[in-house]
Amino acid sequence: MPELPEMENYKLLLNQKIAGRPITAIQINREKSVNVNPELFRKTVLHQTVRNINRRGKHLLFQLQNGQVLLLHLMLGGWMFYGTEADKPKRTIQVRLSFGKEHLYFIGLRLGYLHLYREVEAEEKLAHLGPEPLNATFSAEEFLKRIATKHGRFKTTLIDQEFIAGIGNCYSAEICFHAGILPAKEIDDISESGRVQLFQAMKQVLTEAIKNGGYIENPIFEGDIKTGGFYGVRKVYDRQGESCQRCGSAIVMETISSRKTYYCPNCQK
Ligand SMILES: [Zn+2]
């Protein structure tokens, strides 16, 4: 599932392509992907200029000139492609927004959605989310304060969107590896210095991942060589059986709370 770095990468690249441009046509092939009657969706969104694309956690917010917002969550298997009809991937398209001859295709939206809200409604929908991990105001002190009230396995808390927004299976594994701490370690057993290490690892891993275009492999437009670059430099996620780059031991995959969890059993304590 796309996490913060993947959505941030989409945000940065899509802003270059469609910010300031009007939506010239709308195609809804799967009505369940939107939250209102397709006719109403069309009436509200058609000819609106996309002012800006923002991100909150794993969501993107397409801000329209009329104050409405398209709130996107890709969930498991969702992705996007931007380009002409000729460049379009041979996949089923759930929703298509057109910008003249170019289109933004929403693909693999099974659990994912593109919902239409007024700005204040969109804010309400996202109100439960925890802080943005890369906000400059989100300090180590704040992290320590938030984690002090938590118990149980660290990974479970790290991927809880109400604790911190945007982290899922891939980056929780990478962050724990970077900090040298086992994902299944009980929070109560992690020292204060270990907690600070995890906080710093979180900032560093997410920043690196954004710089590398995240790990989702599909390019977002023809000639996009940035998207997916993190997959090649990840340390543990999806690398079971491979040698740990730090100590040479074999990376292990274990299912914790029905989620695949990757770690090095030797250098993560
Ligand atoms: Zn290792």
Side-chain angles (χ1 to χ4, degrees), residues 177 236 243-251 263-268:
F177 176 81
V236 286
S243 302
C244 168
Q245 292 176 21
R246 202 157 46 196
C247 75
S249 303
I251 302 294
Y263 61 93
C264 172
N266 183 47
C267 64
Q268 286 178 256

Side-chain angles (χ1 to χ4, degrees), residues 7-28:
M7 299 314 281
E8 183 70 14
N9 179 61
Y10 276 144
K11 181 194 96 177
L12 296 170
L13 295 178
L14 279 179
N15 264 317
Q16 294 171 15
K17 296 283 182 189
I18 64 175
R21 296 183 61 186
I23 297 167
T24 55
I26 297 163
Q27 198 181 83
I28 298 169

